[in-house]
Amino acid sequence: MSADQGIAIESGYELLITAQEAYPAFERAYLDARDDATMSFRIFDPFTKLHSPEARRIGDTWFDLIAYKLAQGVPLDITVTDFDPVAMPRMHRTSWESLRALIAIGEVSGRADLLRARVAMHPSRVGFLLSLAFWPRSRKEISETIGRVNAEPEGERRRFYERTPFLRHYLKLEKGLLKLLPGAIPRLVPVIHHQKIAVFDRKVLYIGGLDLNDRRYDTWEHDQPADQTWHDMQLMVRGPEAGDAYTHIREFQEVAAGKKKGSELPHLMRTLSQRRKREAVFLSPRFLFREIEQAHRDEMSRAQRLVYLESQFFRDTRLARYFAGCARRNRALTLILLLPGAPDDVAFENNSGGDARYGEYLQAKCVNILRDAFGDRLTLVSPAQPRRGSETGRALLYRAPIIYVHAKLSIFDDSVAIVSSANLNGRSLKWDTEAGVRVVDPATVRHFRERCFGKWLGADAGPEFFDPESAQRAWRERARDNARRDPEDRTGFLLPYASRPARRFGRNLPGIPEEMV
């Protein structure tokens, strides 16, 4: 561990960039737990490989690590997100397979009594009248899923039927084939629990944007095919944030269901919505906590010189307009916004559906709002590997394979850093369950910025790339210079964000809430 990282640890915060840093730290924090471990993840695969030397001495995967800690007598409370079985049947099945594995771990450990594992679906539902309107599309999606599964061997069909319990409400298994029940009207689930958070002994918090599976493991070098890259980050915190996070994990399901009033948690920021009591004509949930969104508005209004944002998406046009207003009031304010070259489903799965097009439409609109307000005080960049790629379409940026950005980091001057699970889109800031931490120690904030900047710029970056007075212009020139060079001759990872493909691909969907994507 470098001396620079040590500075952050002394302040109580450790920024973990990519799974190369985060996964070993996560494993060590769990190994060090003595009283309990409490977790909530969108994706948690117990068969994920272990990476720290300490954990590798115990076994090969998290299955072995959890069994070891349960056998030691350390209780584990873990919540895994469930997904809409109609729109996301594969993810729905994955969640329930994770639960089956966790239950098996409890049995293997001999201390199943210490394991509390569950799959949690947000209680909000699309209103009944709207469900009737969506009924032809819903049945079409289920029929397409059935067609794919029925093409598999009979054993796989039975496994699918057994491991998709909420899709099973609309199916029957007849003579080894799946069939859609007549008259079934699916109630779609518009909201998910998106947080990635773990607390150990109620003293140590692991929080950010990174789920747990092998797909999300990547290194600082990102030297693998574009569809296997994954830039993300987590924050390890030792302080009062851990106690607030523990309370949040224990209560968020009851709060979302309207069974409990959410606690005041001064050291944690949330997005949390509730199921509406009268939802017949509603697509959206009832907004409850929008603390992460409010924090971004508050800190942008206070920022004086440089704001730095990393996000998987920027699709919230209201937030973009608010940022634009701040830029017009403060002509010294500069912004560096780092986004992936394209959404992962567009770049790697060729998704051209309405949801993908609407998301790109909104992001192109947000980019235009920011450009109009900031002018040449805005630098928009995307990272790509410094090599010529064989990938096609939007998996390439200026002839190089993109590096997929999934991090959620915001830095305002030397004052505040926000690390969370929330993207800068309406879904994360208003609907889904999200959690984050605000860091206000200036030395730690500067340290975070220097680490992030150094990762993208490379070892040769001079002080002008880090100084808030000159960083935005220096980044812009570096990205433009890289775009003019052959991929092998570029310095660092930065290239200009290409907004034209998003504008061409994007399509507006009038009447559909921005928060859907």
Side-chain angles (χ1 to χ4, degrees), residues 39-46 78-83 91 94-96 98-99 102 117-121 193 252-253:
M39 307 180 186
S40 176
F41 282 85
R42 178 178 180 267
I43 296 171
F44 189 98
D45 180 3
I78 182 166
T79 305
V80 179
T81 295
D82 202 358
F83 298 84
M91 297 299 294
T94 296
S95 297
W96 286 90
S98 293
L99 180 62
L102 288 165
R118 69 194 65 78
V119 169
M121 185 180 289
H193 303 304
F252 77 88
Q253 291 180 73

Side-chain angles (χ1 to χ4, degrees), residues 148-162:
R148 289 191 295 270
V149 176
N150 280 338
E152 300 288 333
E154 183 175 351
E156 172 59 21
R157 289 175 235 149
R158 292 189 178 277
R159 279 190 293 274
F160 180 86
Y161 185 74
E162 293 167 358

Side-chain angles (χ1 to χ4, degrees), residues 111-131:
R111 294 303 309 271
D113 58 306
L114 297 180
L115 176 68
R116 294 183 67 236
R118 69 194 65 78
V119 169
M121 185 180 289
H122 196 285
S124 184
R125 297 292 182 271
V126 170
F128 180 73
L129 296 179
L130 286 175
S131 296

Side-chain angles (χ1 to χ4, degrees), residues 324-338:
C326 294
R328 293 189 178 99
R329 287 188 294 274
N330 177 6
R331 294 292 176 177
L333 186 62
T334 62
L335 173 62
I336 299 173
L337 174 57
L338 185 140

Side-chain angles (χ1 to χ4, degrees), residues 23 32 60 92 120 131 157 169 183 262 307 341 370 390 459 495 509-510 517:
Y23 281 7
D32 290 343
D60 296 324
H92 175 57
S131 296
R157 289 175 235 149
H169 294 331
V307 175
L370 294 176
S390 59
L495 289 165
L509 293 178
V517 294

Side-chain angles (χ1 to χ4, degrees), residues 158-171:
R158 292 189 178 277
R159 279 190 293 274
F160 180 86
Y161 185 74
E162 293 167 358
R163 299 179 185 184
T164 53
F166 288 100
L167 188 61
R168 202 160 61 225
H169 294 331
Y170 314 120
L171 306 177

Side-chain angles (χ1 to χ4, degrees), residues 443-456:
T444 303
V445 173
R446 286 193 296 272
H447 167 74
F448 286 3
R449 187 176 65 226
E450 288 166 5
R451 288 206 74 216
C452 294
F453 283 21
K455 175 189 188 299
W456 295 123

Side-chain angles (χ1 to χ4, degrees), residues 164-221:
T164 53
F166 288 100
L167 188 61
R168 202 160 61 225
H169 294 331
Y170 314 120
L171 306 177
K172 62 179 177 180
L173 189 63
E174 189 175 272
K175 297 181 180 179
L177 292 173
L178 294 175
K179 295 186 178 180
L180 179 60
L181 289 171
I185 302 174
R187 296 291 303 279
L188 301 178
V189 185
V191 189
I192 66 166
H193 303 304
H194 190 252
Q195 61 196 357
K196 308 96 171 34
I197 185 171
V199 180
F200 304 100
D201 296 337
R202 310 181 198 185
K203 298 176 181 177
V204 178
L205 169 63
Y206 174 81
I207 189 170
L210 188 60
D211 280 302
L212 185 77
N213 67 3
D214 289 328
R215 163 70 182 92
R216 282 153 175 77
Y217 186 82
D218 200 3
T219 68
W220 273 47
E221 290 75 26

